[in-house]
Amino acid sequence: MPARTMFDKVWTAHEVVPETPDTPAVLYVDLHLTHEVTSPQAFALLRARGLPVRRTDRTLATMDHSTPTRTEQVFGDEPIGLTDAARQVHQLEENAKEFAVELFGLRDPRRGIVHVIGPEQGATQPGMTIVCGDSHTSTHGALGALAFGIGTTEVGHVLATQCLLQRKPKTLAVEVGGRLGAGVTAKDLILAIIGKIGVSGGTGHVLEYRGPAISALSMAERMTVCNMSIEAGARAGMIAPDELTLEYLAGRPRRPRGADWDAAVAGWRSLATDPGAAFDSRVEIDASALEPMITYGTNPGMVLPIGGAIPSDRDDPVFERALAYMGFRPGEPMLGKRVDVVFVGSCTNGRLEDLQATAQILRGRRVAPGVRMLVVPGSQEVKREAEALGLAEVFRAAGAEWRESGCSMCLGMNGDTVPAGATSVSTSNRNFEGRQGVGARTLLASPYTAAACAVAGKITDPRDLL
């Protein structure tokens, strides 16, 4: 048998019907994650056709995008503030009950952002195919799963059949050598990768992140990297499972047990790309040469080292429009620019390690006057862990707001928004126009950088505070 990539192994194992020149493949789905925003129309489709959910045992629902993060609206008597958000939450409760789908409801202690709770619960496992009606499903590739976002119509297809029509993507090896320096994080790494290959560099491909710098990352850091694969245009991102992956999964509630665990581990160990396997494309990155990164425009590919100056591209009207929206000019340094809002959280950087990094900067310091800072855990479990470690007190003492879990300020649809014209340093994954609120200006960065900017009230190199 010829040498195969990890992606090829997982794809082939899930092909129900191979693709032909005229038809896509029929791909079996191991785990279908759903949430309140992209599922209502899909459940309505089933209801209209009199269809059940094909595999309720392979379907898991949570609430995250529209859920409030204010404690009084989650656990108190205050109603959800936004009518549309309240409607979506209620509709998912009704749909889950009607179709017998397991739901982590608003007050469930297991609830959280869909791409945080999947790995956290052990539902995400190596070698799986995982889909969700959300672009950042690629997060789960950090454990060696083939995971990607699907549209609302496809959500209905998977609910009804547990299968999906897909064309087979190509493969792109992202070889990361060296080692990240002090104050440089996985978020900086993935921003640098996107900056190098561009927001369409991965289009039509599944990225496999490889090399010593990737092997040195923690599981949370690997999730950050895979999470933003879609921002490079990729279908998915994957990292081969290793001993760290097994240690992470051991003890998780939904892991295989007993002999099933032993059999699963044997299979997971065989997933790594075979020596000599061919990729369709390759790109190389030297992690040791990287600095903290920050975006300056309206897509994640408009990124530069934090000490750099905004470039010029006067022949590109889209580029010029982006700078005009952000209120920036070519040649201006990023360091020293005013910051109005700081957000730490999201499925990119809302895990315990991210909050620990934030606290490392904030401990013994105060958020600058005039700056609003939100710290939002990625799940209720992360929230409990952070509080047990005293991190919540660090955040509150610094003047930051400590919230319940949810997508929060990553996107302006749950009440947590950035005012028009305000500049936000955010640990989330998208800096599109209006993403955090109408007229909001978003700069993507790591938790270290976000916290440093909150303290200084301006764009600041976090290494100066570490």
Side-chain angles (χ1 to χ4, degrees):
M1 181 180 292
R4 296 187 296 166
T5 65
M6 172 173 52
F7 163 73
D8 285 324
K9 294 178 184 181
V10 178
W11 178 277
T12 302
H14 291 82
E15 268 187 334
V16 179
V17 180
E19 70 174 290
T20 71
D22 299 319
T23 60
V26 177
L27 201 66
Y28 182 75
V29 174
D30 288 313
L31 177 63
H32 186 192
L33 299 167
T34 64
H35 57 82
E36 76 278 12
V37 176
T38 54
S39 65
Q41 301 94 326
F43 281 114
L45 175 66
L46 297 190
R47 191 176 295 113
R49 297 193 176 192
L51 298 172
V53 172
R54 173 71 175 170
R55 293 292 301 269
T56 55
D57 60 324
R58 292 187 177 271
T59 309
L60 178 62
T62 190
M63 298 174 174
D64 54 7
H65 284 62
S66 297
T67 55
T69 61
R70 293 185 179 276
T71 301
E72 58 269 24
Q73 291 185 22
V74 178
F75 293 107
D77 297 327
E78 186 174 318
I80 296 176
L82 298 181
T83 301
D84 287 344
R87 184 182 299 116
Q88 287 178 326
V89 167
H90 176 71
Q91 187 63 61
L92 182 55
E93 290 172 338
E94 292 298 309
N95 287 335
K97 182 178 180 180
E98 178 181 350
F99 289 93
V101 169
E102 184 179 9
L103 169 65
F104 291 177
L106 190 60
R107 296 185 176 183
D108 193 306
R110 300 167 296 175
R111 185 186 64 81
I113 302 174
V114 65
H115 308 312
V116 175
I117 62 103
E120 186 176 80
Q121 291 294 315
T124 300
Q125 296 169 18
M128 278 186 166
T129 48
I130 301 175
V131 299
C132 176
D134 185 90
S135 301
H136 297 100
T137 308
S138 54
T139 307
H140 306 264
L143 286 85
L146 173 58
F148 49 88
I150 56 176
T152 298
T153 301
E154 292 173 309
V155 171
H157 292 170
V158 178
L159 288 174
T161 69
Q162 204 59 32
C163 291
L164 193 62
L165 297 174
Q166 286 286 296
R167 287 288 183 184
K168 188 176 182 180
K170 296 180 179 180
T171 54
L172 193 163
V174 182
E175 304 278 358
V176 187
R179 196 178 184 94
L180 296 173
V184 183
T185 71
K187 182 63 164 289
D188 303 305
L189 171 60
I190 188 58
L191 285 173
I193 291 170
I194 296 168
K196 180 167 184 172
I197 70 175
V199 293
S200 60
T203 300
H205 292 74
V206 168
L207 309 185
E208 182 182 330
Y209 300 99
R210 302 156 50 83
I214 297 298
S215 298
L217 297 178
S218 69
M219 286 309 305
E221 291 172 319
R222 295 178 188 189
M223 291 181 213
T224 295
V225 170
C226 288
N227 173 273
M228 291 190 68
S229 301
I230 185 66
E231 309 309 337
R235 195 72 180 102
M238 302 177 76
I239 296 174
D242 56 14
E243 293 307 311
L244 184 66
T245 315
L246 304 184
E247 291 172 11
Y248 176 86
L249 285 170
R252 300 283 166 182
R254 295 175 185 245
R255 74 191 187 281
R257 308 293 177 102
D260 290 339
W261 170 263
D262 295 335
V265 168
W268 297 342
R269 293 186 191 280
S270 70
L271 288 174
T273 293
D274 297 330
F279 290 88
D280 294 295
S281 303
R282 287 181 181 269
V283 63
E284 295 183 358
I285 298 284
D286 180 6
S288 60
L290 299 182
E291 301 178 41
M293 306 292 287
I294 193 164
T295 62
Y296 61 88
T298 55
N299 71 61
M302 299 179 74
V303 64
L304 76 172
I306 199 164
I310 297 169
S312 174
D313 191 348
R314 299 188 183 279
D315 295 329
D316 185 350
V318 175
F319 183 92
E320 292 295 311
R321 173 183 165 176
L323 289 196
Y325 179 85
M326 296 299 295
F328 295 161
R329 294 182 179 180
E332 293 178 341
M334 289 300 293
L335 289 174
K337 287 191 174 296
R338 191 189 81 247
V339 171
D340 303 298
V341 178
V342 170
F343 169 59
V344 174
S346 82
C347 60
T348 313
N349 285 123
R351 296 173 183 82
L352 184 63
E353 284 183 28
D354 302 309
L355 304 188
Q356 289 173 314
T358 303
Q360 187 177 346
I361 295 285
L362 292 183
R363 187 172 282 107
R365 298 185 173 104
R366 293 281 301 175
V367 173
V371 175
R372 182 191 184 198
M373 183 179 191
L374 262 70
V375 182
V376 183
S379 71
Q380 292 303 109
E381 182 172 317
V382 169
K383 183 172 190 284
R384 290 189 296 273
E385 291 174 340
E387 290 175 343
L389 292 173
L391 302 185
E393 292 308 312
V394 173
F395 303 142
R396 292 192 185 104
E401 299 177 41
W402 173 241
R403 298 294 191 87
E404 303 296 334
S405 66
C407 293
S408 186
M409 207 176 270
C410 175
L411 72 174
M413 65 181 298
N414 47 54
D416 296 345
T417 57
V418 175
T423 297
S424 165
V425 177
S426 177
T427 66
S428 53
N429 43 55
R430 285 184 169 162
N431 53 338
F432 304 156
E433 292 185 22
R435 171 77 175 184
Q436 293 190 293
V438 177
R441 297 166 169 173
T442 302
L443 309 177
L444 302 178
S446 74
Y448 274 151
T449 298
C453 293
V455 169
K458 57 187 178 181
I459 304 300
T460 300
D461 190 326
R463 295 172 295 185
D464 296 337
L465 299 183
L466 288 171

